[in-house]
Amino acid sequence: MTLLWLIPVLPLLGATVLGLAGPTIGHRASAVIGTASVGIAALIAITIGVQWLQHPPPGEVFNQNLWTWVSLPGFSVNISLYLDPLAMLMTLVITIIGTLIHLFSTEYMQDDPGYSRFFAYLNLFVAAMLLLVLAGDLVILFVGWEGVGVCSYLLVGFWFSDSENGAAAQKSFIVTRIADIAMLAGLLLLSTQLGSLNIQAMLAAASAQWPQGGMLPELAAALLLIGGLGKSAQVPLQTWLPDAMAGPTPVSALIHAATMVTAGVYLVARTHVLFLLAPEVMRAIAIGGALTLLIAALAGLMQSDIKRVLAYSTMSQIGYMFLALGVGAWSAAMFHFLTHAVFKALLFLSAGAISMRLHHEQNIFTMGGLRTRLPAAFWAFLIGAASLAALPLVSAGFFSKEMILGEVWAYPNAALWAAGITGALLTAIYIFRAVFIVFFGPVTTEPSGAYGIRILLPLALLALAALTIGWLETPAFLGGRKIFSGFLTASTGAAGHHPVPVLITLAGCLAPLAGIAIAFALHRSGFWQAQATRSPNPLGRLLRSGCGFDAVYDVLLVRPYLSLVAALRHDPVDLISTGLAGAAIAAHRRLRATQTGRLRRYIAWITAGSVATIAMLLFA
């Protein structure tokens, strides 16, 4: 376990080498450095994980203090890594799935002129996320948090020659930075009130000093939550995520599967002791998650870009995780994080595999009939779609979503459970809408080229995981296996095992089946295909736009702000700085006029200056 520090350092080292020497070392070396740096980190993480299972450390916690960064009277920040079951889970997911995405990217991006730059950004992204989840101190966590934000800006705007891509990158950066200001305020509050930002020391102090439901824990938890909502694209800070599809498809897989959008879920789970002291914030988390999963699912019904369909599905599935967090079902939220990381990476890489054979076309209505033309991509996407839809028994997503719905029912809150089951129905409809449009019916566009092993291997491994990994945690009627929640007990506490009525379990099984049936019936009737030719009605336009949040923000925030900027462009306060600049420019012009090239005039000025200086020294 002493090699823990290498896990974030190796991708950082890879990013440094690629950033400095990448353009000169060629595609092959860039691919090897970029993939190997994350792959070796994954092997170290797996080795540590095996050691952990065989001989867990005392208290199931391993602390690795590296050095002291800040040391002030009454306050210090240590560069330390904190490994417990929760951090272990996150680390394994980030490194293993990150390695598969890197491997996929080596072939997907092979014709891109920014090849080495892409892998430098990707390595830096993974390093920042690993620092975030392994940090033992909230200050170090915040460094990784901001590093992920910067890398997302670089990756979303990777093809910056297109102004739309640059605008999407700016939007993601600005929205998440607004949320991060609130998070920073929360860190300052915790620091000043509790005297430490070491996560475990802070949580212990909060439990000892703050009463449940008090103003300070509610405020601190609310500020941290805002930061988490921004990173995880939850209502009302979700608008950046669909536009982030401007980046290359492997970037979407990394951001949406195992890294950035799950950072908010991890933050709440990591500091859940603080959130338990803030019941009103917990209630807000549950309600916000329910709203997000419904809004995103409805928006997914009207998208024509395959990546935007998956983007809204990410938003919706993170909503399920927040719903679970809001009812205190920490293990259920993290189990859905695990299954979602697998099937969402599979879906995005499958979408990338499809588009690269169709000259990077992403409109689902220009596809069709690809089931026989691209069988590997078809089966991979179908398995991912089944898991996203929570198809009973055969998909990982079924087990984690069933666990969440059971915990929400036991909470108890019928409205939240109804939102969850409705979201399950809508999820099955919109993802199988995409399946039927893309893979069935007549062939619209003939694919070209062929897949290499670097495309097929990640798809095969992720598909296998999407079929099997759900059996780590099973409902009572399938044996009640609790391997996953048992592993997380040291981090999140013992999970309560609430009996779930048979009808509730049956509803969770039937909702995705009903959704698939509805999607198939609408496909057979030609309803989905007609969407490509007819103009949507006002409701359809509203759903396609993500329920109008961008338009509302544009009217209420963006335009007033730009108007204020225009009005203050010649702010009187600016006259001070502009006046100094003008004076400097005028002085420069005067002095420049003295540069005539006449040697006698230069000698005269030097002599006059020397006489003046001597006179000042003699008579001062």
Side-chain angles (χ1 to χ4, degrees):
M1 294 184 190
T2 56
L3 296 179
L4 179 64
W5 63 276
L6 279 174
I7 295 177
V9 166
L10 284 172
L12 180 61
L13 182 62
T16 303
V17 172
L18 290 169
L20 295 176
T24 65
I25 60 178
H27 280 24
R28 182 182 295 273
S30 296
V32 170
I33 293 171
T35 306
S37 60
V38 181
I40 296 172
L43 291 175
I44 295 173
I46 293 170
T47 302
I48 292 175
V50 172
Q51 293 176 355
W52 188 286
L53 293 175
Q54 293 175 343
H55 304 288
E60 296 195 50
V61 170
F62 176 71
N63 242 319
Q64 190 170 50
N65 291 309
L66 301 177
W67 67 86
T68 300
W69 183 20
V70 178
S71 181
L72 297 171
F75 181 79
S76 63
V77 177
N78 293 321
I79 306 293
S80 63
L81 302 181
Y82 181 87
L83 188 66
D84 68 347
L86 178 59
M88 175 70 73
L89 168 67
M90 297 292 295
T91 300
L92 287 170
V93 170
I94 293 166
T95 54
I96 294 174
I97 292 185
T99 300
L100 295 177
I101 293 172
H102 274 71
L103 180 61
F104 183 95
S105 301
T106 60
E107 184 171 335
Y108 183 87
M109 299 292 292
Q110 62 187 358
D111 297 326
D112 196 284
Y115 195 79
S116 60
R117 177 168 59 92
F118 176 81
F119 281 99
Y121 291 168
L122 219 58
N123 272 201
L124 188 60
F125 195 110
V126 171
M129 191 66 194
L130 287 169
L131 181 64
L132 189 159
V133 301
L134 289 171
D137 193 288
L138 284 174
V139 174
I140 307 304
L141 184 149
F142 192 70
V143 172
W145 189 276
E146 293 302 294
V148 168
V150 171
C151 292
S152 70
Y153 168 79
L154 296 173
L155 287 167
V156 170
F158 181 77
W159 290 316
F160 54 84
S161 57
D162 187 334
S163 60
E164 291 185 2
N165 296 342
Q170 291 176 14
K171 184 177 181 179
S172 67
F173 188 79
I174 292 170
V175 172
T176 53
R177 289 297 75 68
I178 291 171
D180 291 351
I181 292 172
M183 181 178 173
L184 181 59
L187 298 187
L188 293 174
L189 174 63
L190 292 170
S191 174
T192 55
Q193 295 297 316
L194 300 177
S196 175
L197 286 178
N198 177 278
I199 296 175
Q200 302 309 312
M202 180 274 294
L203 294 177
S207 296
Q209 299 176 28
W210 286 348
Q212 187 178 36
M215 183 186 72
L216 287 177
E218 294 279 5
L219 179 59
L223 290 171
L224 292 185
L225 174 62
I226 294 172
L229 295 179
K231 271 292 188 290
S232 293
Q234 296 294 284
V235 170
L237 299 173
Q238 83 284 11
T239 56
W240 66 269
L241 189 59
D243 291 352
M245 296 302 96
T249 300
V251 171
S252 303
L254 191 61
I255 289 178
H256 289 233
T259 55
M260 181 171 170
V261 295
T262 59
V265 177
Y266 172 77
L267 177 66
V268 177
R270 169 57 71 205
T271 58
H272 70 277
V273 174
L274 173 64
F275 281 87
L276 287 173
L277 298 175
E280 294 302 321
V281 174
M282 290 281 287
R283 188 174 294 108
I285 292 173
I287 294 172
L291 287 174
T292 302
L293 71 89
L294 288 176
I295 289 171
L298 289 169
L301 291 169
M302 295 299 298
Q303 304 306 311
S304 57
D305 185 309
I306 191 169
K307 287 177 64 176
R308 288 182 76 89
V309 173
L310 298 180
Y312 280 108
S313 77
T314 295
M315 193 187 303
S316 183
Q317 298 309 301
I318 301 292
Y320 274 103
M321 297 179 209
F322 270 88
L323 175 59
L325 293 172
V327 301
W330 320 113
S331 295
M334 297 313 300
F335 189 39
H336 198 55
F337 154 77
L338 173 62
T339 62
H340 175 264
V342 172
F343 68 69
K344 187 51 59 67
L346 176 61
L347 282 168
F348 268 111
L349 295 188
S350 300
I354 294 166
S355 68
M356 70 183 291
R357 295 284 299 276
L358 299 178
H359 311 290
H360 295 281
E361 177 60 62
Q362 294 178 183
N363 189 328
I364 60 176
F365 292 110
T366 62
M367 303 176 187
L370 296 179
R371 176 171 52 90
T372 56
R373 300 297 197 274
L374 303 176
F378 165 67
W379 285 109
F381 196 92
L382 181 63
I383 292 171
S387 197
L388 172 60
L391 196 65
L393 303 182
V394 298
S395 69
F398 163 73
F399 296 95
S400 57
K401 196 170 291 185
E402 189 71 16
M403 187 178 179
I404 291 174
L405 292 175
E407 292 287 346
V408 172
W409 176 261
Y411 180 54
N413 188 306
L416 293 177
W417 180 85
I421 202 71
T422 303
L425 175 69
L426 294 173
T427 300
I429 295 174
Y430 72 68
I431 192 58
F432 273 88
R433 164 185 176 264
V435 169
F436 293 132
I437 293 173
V438 172
F439 295 105
F440 293 84
V443 176
T444 305
T445 304
E446 283 289 347
S448 60
Y451 296 131
I453 188 63
R454 292 173 291 170
I455 296 292
L456 296 176
L457 182 60
L459 294 180
L461 293 176
L462 288 169
L464 178 63
L467 291 171
T468 60
I469 204 168
W471 291 93
L472 291 173
E473 192 86 12
T474 60
F477 72 93
L478 290 174
R481 188 180 290 110
K482 304 297 178 185
I483 297 174
F484 182 84
S485 57
F487 174 71
L488 284 187
T489 297
S491 298
T492 59
H497 304 304
H498 305 101
V500 180
V502 175
L503 289 178
I504 298 304
T505 300
L506 186 61
C509 295
L510 292 179
L513 296 175
I516 296 172
I518 292 171
F520 179 72
L522 294 175
H523 170 73
R524 287 290 300 271
S525 69
F527 178 82
W528 298 133
Q529 292 79 356
Q531 285 184 331
T533 57
R534 66 171 182 260
S535 299
N537 56 35
L539 178 60
R541 288 195 297 270
L542 179 67
L543 295 180
R544 181 174 292 180
S545 69
C547 296
F549 278 86
D550 276 316
V552 172
Y553 292 161
D554 188 57
V555 172
L556 296 181
L557 299 174
V558 177
R559 292 182 187 177
Y561 178 77
L562 293 178
S563 298
L564 182 62
V565 169
L568 296 179
R569 183 166 295 171
H570 303 293
D571 189 340
V573 176
D574 291 341
L575 292 178
I576 298 174
S577 57
T578 55
L580 291 174
I585 292 172
H588 166 72
R589 288 172 178 167
R590 291 290 183 89
L591 292 173
R592 187 177 64 182
T594 65
Q595 302 299 307
T596 62
R598 296 177 181 177
L599 187 59
R600 291 181 179 180
R601 179 168 292 185
Y602 293 166
I603 294 173
W605 279 111
I606 293 172
T607 302
S610 301
V611 170
T613 302
I614 294 170
M616 290 173 61
L617 293 173
L618 291 176
F619 298 107

